[in-house]
Amino acid sequence: MGSDVLEFYPDAHLALRLWNVYINSVDPVVKLLHIPTIQSTIVATILDPRSAQPSKVALTFAIYYAAITALCHDDDHEPLELPCEKLALLNRYKLCLDQLLVVPDLMDRPELAALQALAIYATCLRANEVGRKVWVLVGLAIRLAQSIGLHRDGASLRLSPFETEMRLRLWWHLCVLESRSPEDQGSPPTVDVTNRELRLPLNVNDNQIYPDMTHFPTESAGWTEMSFFLIQTESCRLLHPVLDTHGQHSLDAYLDITEKRKIIQQRSQYLYAKYSESGTPLGRLAAQHGTTGYKKMEFVLRLREEISLRKQKGSQGDPTPDVFQQSFKLACEDLESNQVLSNGDFGSRFKWFFNIYTPWYAIAYVLRCLSSSPPGIETGPASALVEEVFSRAMSLHDSHSGGLDGDYGHQSIWRYINVLRYQALSARHQRTQASMSTSDDDRIQTSNSGPDCIKTSQSLIDTAMTGKTATMDETTVVPESSQEFITGPSQNLFSPLDLSMPEIPFLPDWNAVINGCLTDDVYETNSTFWDDGPAASAQF
């Protein structure tokens, strides 16, 4: 350790306060540590960091970084005297973690404490940034974990029951982090996030396990300190088989989608029945978290179904506007469910955690539909909803990366999300201008052209966005730097974006969301993409 790292170490009083914040605002949703045994190590490191092992110092810095991250999102926390602004502390602890964790010693001799620190750091970093760094750190943690066999059952390695449990917690947490890579970065996971051959950690409280135990305890039937972790992991293991693209172009595609919908329903009922007795706020939070994940699955499956139908109809296509499609309603419901997690009465101390689950698929698709909505259709509620979710996701990112004009705004999926947003803003502005110049007779004729369809669509939108009051600024001017990406009135909305860029390894669902087609369709229209793009994408 360099002396400059220890110069940033907080004083004992602040360090203990941050440790307490971690226990209350991070540990319940990121159950990696065994609090009864690690607490003495943490306190000893706080009192004398210069005598502590580098891995222990790194773990404490990860805890401080996580605690400040939680405080940045929680407006209701108790006053805490800090030596400087929260964002300055985040950057300070981030600098220390970079120096402590990306070092040759960790690469050559991985320790569990250092890997726990890396996992906590990568998790909380995702609440503050969505660049490639998080993706790379998670990949590094997975490779180091595999190097010491964390992906294997500790019992087969003749490890103690306690060590086996702690290793399982860390490995499955890394799998959940990696499962976000398709939506965050457009890249397939590097590990099998389902791995049915490896069991999950036990559903127990921390006081049911201890280092000297010789047998595994009996699992609790109801809610425990591990239940939130297990619900999240179980949902993740369900999501990937459900969203698996194998067979989606076959004649049995509809049967496949129907079966997957049954799996979603059965699994959600199972988890609800298993943990329904919990009346705690965290239990209700876990239920809402699971519901949001299931809505995402339903939206993606419905979108695939509609694309298949449109493909079967050929050149005739489906004349129904996109904002009237069932997929648009489901995408809005996904956004609204995600919004409940951040704005509901579930506890502000965990808002930081749900900021790492920004629903980019739903945001991109709603923006895509808004860009093509016909004149005379009120889409304000949907616009307000997507803007609120988008603005919340960007609230801290701007502070860390200099806004959308910095490197952050030009990385992979982010760049195209902003292109879609500018398209929606531009399209709405054009419709507003056209409406102002249209005669009253023309407006009456337009409103009578499809009353039943319009009424149905507005009912769906109102249902999905009840109570939303914010609106997009209809006079918003699209920045000149994005004009080259905006589609004109005569341009086909679903003409593919430039997929020849090798840094955009779009997966099937991103092709469906952004381009309105599945991967095979993109290959037919733009086969050169696969020649330039990553080989890993070809398997999809």
Side-chain angles (χ1 to χ4, degrees):
M1 288 186 299
S3 59
D4 56 335
V5 171
L6 293 179
E7 288 177 2
F8 286 135
Y9 206 87
D11 63 73
H13 177 73
L14 175 60
L16 289 173
R17 291 292 301 272
L18 293 178
W19 170 235
N20 186 61
V21 172
Y22 180 91
I23 291 175
N24 291 299
S25 301
V26 180
D27 182 72
V29 291
V30 183
K31 196 62 184 151
L32 290 179
L33 305 179
H34 184 251
I35 302 301
T37 56
I38 199 64
Q39 179 151 293
S40 59
T41 301
I42 299 300
V43 172
T45 304
I46 290 174
L47 296 178
D48 188 8
R50 295 187 179 276
S51 301
Q53 297 177 349
S55 61
K56 301 301 190 298
V57 175
L59 180 58
T60 56
F61 266 119
I63 288 169
Y64 307 148
Y65 182 86
I68 296 298
T69 296
L71 293 177
C72 284
H73 291 74
D74 184 5
D75 297 328
D76 301 325
H77 66 85
E78 295 182 5
L80 185 63
E81 186 176 349
L82 301 174
C84 57
E85 295 293 331
K86 296 173 186 175
L87 292 180
L89 271 183
L90 277 181
N91 290 328
R92 179 182 298 180
Y93 296 153
K94 176 182 174 182
L95 175 65
C96 295
L97 286 166
D98 288 340
Q99 294 189 35
L100 288 168
L101 294 175
V102 188
V103 293
D105 285 348
L106 177 59
M107 309 301 162
D108 296 334
R109 295 179 296 275
E111 298 180 35
L112 188 65
L115 292 180
Q116 289 171 330
L118 187 55
I120 294 170
Y121 176 37
T123 303
C124 297
L125 188 63
R126 289 190 68 250
N128 304 318
E129 302 179 19
V130 193
R132 292 192 181 98
K133 181 175 180 177
V134 177
W135 179 51
V136 171
L137 285 178
V138 173
L140 173 63
I142 287 174
R143 289 291 179 261
L144 292 174
Q146 288 175 323
S147 71
I148 59 174
L150 253 67
H151 60 300
R152 299 174 59 188
D153 193 333
S156 66
L157 301 176
R158 299 183 180 181
L159 299 176
S160 69
F162 179 79
E163 189 175 359
T164 296
E165 280 299 298
M166 299 311 297
R167 288 162 61 98
L168 285 171
R169 289 186 184 186
L170 177 55
W171 175 254
W172 280 113
H173 180 76
L174 292 176
C175 288
V176 172
L177 286 180
E178 178 67 359
S179 70
R180 288 288 302 177
S181 61
E183 192 169 353
D184 280 348
Q185 298 295 331
S187 299
T190 57
V191 293
D192 179 9
V193 297
T194 58
N195 194 1
R196 300 298 174 183
E197 298 180 359
L198 183 67
R199 72 172 178 86
L200 297 180
L202 297 174
N203 184 40
V204 294
N205 291 311
D206 274 356
N207 61 12
Q208 294 178 261
I209 60 176
Y210 51 93
D212 296 332
M213 67 182 187
T214 57
H215 298 86
F216 291 104
T218 302
E219 276 196 288
S220 300
W223 185 267
T224 71
E225 293 170 347
M226 281 297 295
S227 295
F228 187 97
F229 180 102
L230 293 172
I231 290 175
Q232 180 187 21
T233 308
E234 289 268 26
S235 299
C236 172
R237 297 174 83 193
L238 169 63
L239 185 146
H240 282 272
V242 167
L243 300 185
D244 181 42
T245 58
H246 294 301
Q248 67 180 0
H249 300 285
S250 67
L251 296 176
D252 297 328
Y254 288 114
L255 177 62
D256 182 57
I257 290 176
T258 300
E259 290 300 319
K260 287 179 177 179
R261 287 194 176 111
K262 290 181 180 179
I263 293 174
I264 293 175
Q265 183 179 13
Q266 293 171 356
R267 197 61 185 172
S268 61
Q269 290 175 347
Y270 164 76
L271 291 176
Y272 178 79
K274 184 175 181 179
Y275 300 106
S276 61
E277 295 182 1
S278 172
T280 64
L282 187 58
R284 295 193 297 272
L285 189 67
Q288 181 65 26
H289 188 33
T291 298
T292 303
Y294 299 142
K295 286 184 178 295
K296 171 186 172 180
M297 298 182 212
E298 293 172 359
F299 152 61
V300 173
L301 288 178
R302 178 60 187 178
L303 178 57
R304 290 180 184 170
E305 196 172 44
E306 291 174 1
I307 292 173
S308 297
L309 282 171
R310 185 165 61 241
K311 188 175 181 180
Q312 289 180 10
K313 292 180 180 179
S315 59
Q316 294 181 352
D318 187 351
T320 306
D322 297 312
V323 292
F324 297 161
Q325 298 282 3
Q326 181 72 5
S327 57
F328 180 76
K329 174 181 179 292
L330 292 175
C332 290
E333 289 180 350
D334 183 25
L335 292 178
E336 188 175 46
S337 183
N338 181 273
Q339 190 181 48
V340 171
L341 289 170
S342 298
N343 297 343
D345 298 327
F346 292 97
S348 59
R349 57 181 173 160
F350 300 121
K351 285 183 179 180
W352 73 269
F353 179 77
F354 296 104
N355 200 50
I356 71 178
Y357 285 92
T358 303
W360 299 122
Y361 283 157
I363 288 177
Y365 186 68
V366 171
L367 288 172
R368 195 64 153 161
C369 292
L370 292 176
S371 298
S372 63
S373 59
I377 305 302
E378 174 54 44
T379 57
S383 300
L385 179 60
V386 74
E387 276 296 293
E388 183 172 347
V389 175
F390 190 94
S391 299
R392 186 180 70 246
M394 291 296 298
S395 60
L396 281 182
H397 304 326
D398 280 343
S399 300
H400 285 271
S401 55
L404 296 180
D405 294 330
D407 291 338
Y408 172 76
H410 294 281
Q411 289 192 20
S412 191
I413 299 302
W414 263 108
R415 181 168 179 263
Y416 285 89
I417 288 286
N418 284 290
V419 169
L420 294 174
R421 183 169 178 248
Y422 291 142
Q423 285 179 336
L425 288 168
S426 177
R428 180 162 186 175
H429 179 68
Q430 292 174 8
R431 286 193 298 272
T432 300
Q433 297 298 320
S435 176
M436 294 173 60
S437 62
T438 302
S439 65
D440 292 340
D441 292 339
D442 289 340
R443 285 197 296 270
I444 294 174
Q445 182 178 356
T446 301
S447 63
N448 290 335
S449 59
D452 294 335
C453 188
I454 294 175
K455 181 179 180 181
T456 302
S457 172
Q458 189 57 48
S459 176
L460 296 178
I461 296 175
D462 289 343
T463 300
M465 272 73 65
T466 302
K468 303 299 178 293
T469 57
T471 59
M472 260 184 172
D473 183 3
E474 297 191 5
T475 62
T476 299
V477 178
V478 181
E480 294 182 3
S481 60
S482 300
Q483 291 288 348
E484 59 181 301
F485 301 112
I486 306 304
T487 57
S490 60
Q491 183 178 350
N492 179 12
L493 179 69
F494 285 112
S495 58
L497 292 175
D498 181 12
L499 296 184
S500 61
M501 298 180 63
E503 78 269 17
I504 312 293
F506 278 107
L507 293 182
D509 287 328
W510 270 115
N511 285 319
V513 168
I514 294 181
N515 292 317
C517 57
L518 298 172
T519 300
D520 286 355
D521 305 324
V522 173
Y523 180 84
E524 293 172 3
T525 59
N526 192 2
S527 59
T528 59
F529 166 64
W530 302 118
D531 296 333
D532 297 331
S537 301
Q539 63 180 308
F540 288 83

